Amino acid sequence: MFTLDRQGRGTLVDQIYEGVQGLIHVGHWPVGARLPSVRRLASDLDVSIFTVSSAYSRLVSDGVLFSRVGAGFFVALPKPEILNAEHPGAVQRPDCAANVVLNAVDLGRYAVPAGSGFLPEDWLEDAIPPAVVGRLMRQEVSISTPVSVMGLPLLREQIASRLANIRINAQPTQIVTTCGATHAFSLVSGMLLGPGDTVVVEEPGYMMHKAQLVKTGASIVSVPRMADGPDLDMLEAVAKQYRPKALVIQPVLHNPTGLTLSPACAYRLLMLAERYGFYVIEDDVFGSLCTERNLRLSSLDGLSRVFYISSFTKVLSPALRVGFVACPPAFCEPIIEAKILSVQHSSSLQETIVAHVLRSGRYQAHLSALRGRILRAHSAARLALSEVGVAFDGPPNDGLFLWGRLGAQVDIDGLIDAAFRDGIFLLRGTLFSVRGDFERHMRFNIGYSSDPRLCALLDRFRVGVASESMATDARARKRQA
């Protein structure tokens, strides 16, 4: 039998748990053997019955023991080996939308996550203090009660109030909460589109949109994203030819370019939507990071043809999957039905946390600090990348991303491979293209792109490849001479 250390070597429950496991491991109690009763072991070790019962319960939960009512506790068959949950397994290179997400949510394996779509962790650490979560769990959240399928009423009211601030008139009854913006997009696109339909996307555009649209069976046609919005002449030509069911657009701080839709472009785009009868899915997940007030299509359209999607995940915490869609009234019921069939309902805990942050005023202060931080990081990242040969197609803009172009001499495949080996997360531009264009572009997260390790890698490939090319030319000239 084992002895207990009462001077502080772990709790008594932990020591009994480990002691029983140790005796089973050395064969003192073989498989099927009956252990001492709770009362007997408590007496032998001079501890309470509750202490032994807690240790035995943990051993049953972990599959070390099993119990029989009225008979006691017995040694269970050994379980097959289970890898630790943190075991990395085979790391997939970020070469498609799904693998990008796999890498993006496992940023611990990257020293420099320059291709990530998330803000740096320390930028968000004050957004939701742990004390708030604890207080809400004690006072406001009923863990045993599911939230309304439309979403927490308090949160939908807060969302409606905030949408009014950007001139979007949406009643709480037009708002359905979701498990993030990706979920919202899946609900809307799945409801609107199917085989035989055509959907128009921007080029370049967010990679997850393309991946999700493929699942609908609809045909995907792209139009170029210009400095002030999509190429409207091309959009009209596409609308005439294909009669699309929907257009997907990120109007403010477009991913990956960081560009923002102009008012003139917004007005004409909605005229085309009316003329050719297509809906607009407006994805505005980054709009709250913009330092200037910008026009949304939903505010002009009045949620007649436009579905407005956004999320709190980017600006509060990646651990909070809380998004929403504000939709034309006739589509609320189909979206609710689709939500029920996908997740049944949202998390009351997560939605209450977000509602509390919005109501407390902390959210606006957090956004203000975040915008200032982004502006400073944006300038620093653009300068650092420019110095190692990354070119940018337009003047400085705003937001989380820089859309950079590498020189013709850079070996893109070699750079991606070297970055992966060195723990630097990079995304090639082709991931953001329906047609596989933008081979020499990359999306850079401004929160990580001033890092000397990234800049050194980019500089090495710029200089290394150029030097190798010059040396090859010199050797050729020498042979000719």
Side-chain angles (χ1 to χ4, degrees):
M1 185 59 69
F2 54 88
T3 58
L4 301 178
D5 178 2
R6 301 175 189 272
Q7 302 304 314
R9 188 185 64 81
T11 67
L12 296 177
V13 171
D14 289 341
Q15 291 183 55
I16 295 170
Y17 175 92
E18 293 167 3
V20 170
Q21 268 199 322
L23 290 175
I24 292 172
H25 182 70
V26 299
H28 180 76
W29 289 311
V31 173
R34 182 172 182 245
L35 268 67
S37 68
V38 171
R39 290 184 180 277
R40 165 79 181 277
L41 189 59
S43 175
D44 290 347
L45 296 175
D46 193 23
V47 296
S48 71
I49 293 173
F50 175 78
T51 300
V52 175
S53 178
S54 298
Y56 275 7
S57 295
R58 279 180 53 188
L59 289 161
V60 170
S61 177
D62 289 348
V64 179
L65 304 179
F66 66 90
S67 63
R68 290 177 182 161
V69 177
F73 294 87
F74 301 82
V75 178
L77 284 168
K79 295 188 297 183
E81 182 182 2
I82 298 175
L83 292 176
N84 186 286
E86 297 298 324
H87 189 279
V91 180
Q92 300 294 322
R93 292 172 182 263
D95 53 7
C96 67
N99 286 346
V100 167
V101 174
L102 285 172
N103 281 266
V105 298
D106 186 24
L107 293 182
R109 74 167 301 275
Y110 289 102
V112 186
S116 165
F118 296 118
L119 292 163
E121 183 179 349
D122 59 332
W123 292 17
L124 301 175
E125 59 188 8
D126 295 328
I128 307 172
V132 170
V133 179
R135 185 168 66 251
L136 290 175
M137 290 187 68
R138 290 192 303 271
Q139 298 177 1
E140 297 187 32
V141 182
S142 176
I143 303 300
S144 61
T145 304
V147 72
S148 160
V149 292
M150 288 192 71
L152 189 74
L154 176 61
L155 177 58
R156 289 187 289 115
E157 290 168 8
Q158 290 289 331
I159 291 171
S161 175
R162 299 207 166 263
L163 290 181
N165 292 338
I166 54 174
R167 300 186 178 90
I168 298 175
N169 182 20
Q171 296 301 316
T173 52
Q174 290 176 264
I175 296 168
V176 180
T177 64
T178 60
C179 301
T182 300
H183 182 218
F185 185 84
S186 177
L187 295 179
V188 175
S189 61
M191 177 200 64
L192 284 179
L193 302 168
D197 292 326
T198 297
V199 59
V200 183
V201 299
E202 299 174 286
E203 180 85 5
Y206 181 39
M207 69 191 76
M208 284 297 292
H209 287 166
K210 173 189 170 185
Q212 290 180 282
L213 291 171
V214 167
K215 297 292 187 183
T216 68
S219 299
I220 305 172
V221 178
S222 63
V223 297
R225 174 75 186 221
M226 315 301 283
D228 62 345
D231 183 329
L232 295 181
D233 291 335
M234 179 73 78
L235 177 59
E236 183 163 20
V238 165
K240 285 180 180 178
Q241 181 177 356
Y242 296 101
R243 295 289 170 169
K245 188 74 172 289
L247 164 72
V248 178
I249 184 171
Q250 287 189 316
V252 180
L253 302 184
H254 171 260
N255 180 5
T257 66
L259 299 168
T260 292
L261 187 71
S262 71
C265 188
Y267 280 105
R268 188 180 164 200
L269 188 155
L270 289 175
M271 289 174 63
L272 293 176
E274 181 70 26
R275 183 180 308 158
Y276 294 101
F278 58 82
Y279 293 100
V280 178
I281 305 175
E282 182 176 31
D283 181 346
D284 194 31
V285 293
F286 295 106
S288 58
L289 297 177
C290 194
T291 54
E292 299 178 0
R293 290 181 68 90
N294 289 285
L295 200 61
R296 269 62 169 194
L297 293 167
S298 301
S299 65
L300 296 174
D301 170 75
L303 294 176
S304 174
R305 287 193 168 276
V306 179
F307 295 78
Y308 180 87
I309 291 171
S310 192
S311 167
F312 301 98
T313 300
K314 297 290 185 185
V315 296
L316 287 180
S317 169
L320 283 176
R321 302 297 302 175
V322 178
F324 65 91
V325 54
C327 59
F331 290 95
C332 286
E333 286 191 15
I335 288 176
I336 292 169
E337 181 180 351
K339 177 181 175 180
I340 292 170
L341 294 177
S342 61
V343 296
Q344 293 191 6
H345 58 81
S346 312
S347 163
S348 58
L349 174 58
Q350 293 190 38
E351 292 193 1
T352 302
I353 291 172
V354 173
H356 177 86
V357 172
L358 295 179
R359 187 175 56 178
S360 69
R362 179 181 296 275
Y363 183 67
Q364 208 56 42
H366 169 65
L367 281 185
S368 179
L370 209 51
R371 289 167 184 155
R373 210 162 187 171
I374 286 173
L375 276 177
R376 293 189 294 274
H378 206 282
S379 299
R382 187 178 173 107
L383 176 62
L385 292 172
S386 297
E387 290 177 346
V388 292
V390 179
F392 302 98
D393 297 330
N397 44 40
D398 207 346
L400 183 58
F401 302 122
L402 285 166
W403 184 235
R405 177 168 36 85
L406 280 67
Q409 79 279 10
V410 176
D411 175 7
I412 301 292
D413 290 332
L415 173 61
I416 293 288
D417 288 343
F420 189 76
R421 289 193 303 270
D422 294 350
I424 298 175
F425 183 29
L426 290 180
L427 295 181
R428 62 171 73 237
T430 51
L431 287 166
F432 300 89
S433 172
V434 172
R435 301 190 298 259
D437 294 343
F438 304 103
E439 173 64 32
R440 310 212 67 79
H441 280 75
M442 287 188 176
R443 186 191 75 178
F444 295 97
N445 182 318
I446 53 97
Y448 303 102
S449 294
S450 301
D451 192 291
R453 291 165 291 186
L454 170 64
C455 294
L457 176 68
L458 293 170
D459 196 40
R460 188 168 82 240
F461 268 77
R462 177 186 63 150
V463 175
V465 173
S467 298
E468 182 181 340
S469 176
M470 292 171 62
T472 301
D473 292 344
R475 287 193 294 270
R477 287 194 297 271
K478 185 175 181 181
R479 285 195 299 270
Q480 291 171 359

